[in-house]
Amino acid sequence: TLFPYTTLFRSIDLHYVAFVAAGGRLWELDGSRKGPLDRGPIEGDALCEEALERGPGRFVEREKEGGEMRFSLVTLGPSLD
């Protein structure tokens, strides 16, 4: 028999997802997949409007539609000082 702790965490879908701009395209790096997902061409970095719509914006839209998407968003960028 499985320890209840193991059974509990099999039903929870928590993992990290990163969005990276490289080669003029937006790439989604999802820890639950076997490789990167190409989200299409963008003109700018991972924080340009196109990238935000194709990346984190998809999660926001799902939550607005009533899905139970719990997520946090962290960005890395230059110092503002």
Side-chain angles (χ1 to χ4, degrees):
T1 62
L2 290 174
F3 183 64
Y5 182 83
T6 305
T7 304
L8 170 69
F9 281 95
R10 283 187 177 174
S11 65
I12 298 175
D13 183 24
L14 300 176
H15 61 280
Y16 289 94
V17 176
F19 295 98
V20 178
R25 304 188 75 75
L26 180 68
W27 297 92
E28 181 177 336
L29 308 176
D30 183 330
S32 68
R33 298 186 183 267
K34 292 184 179 190
L37 297 171
D38 183 354
R39 293 294 177 195
I42 56 171
E43 292 186 27
D45 60 20
L47 296 176
C48 72
E49 189 171 336
E50 287 174 300
L52 293 175
E53 287 175 3
R54 293 182 188 160
R58 293 182 7 257
F59 295 99
V60 173
E61 288 303 316
R62 277 191 229 157
E63 192 162 310
K64 284 181 185 176
E65 294 170 1
E68 191 174 336
M69 295 289 295
R70 298 180 196 157
F71 67 93
S72 298
L73 181 63
V74 176
T75 63
L76 302 176
S79 172
L80 298 175
D81 294 336

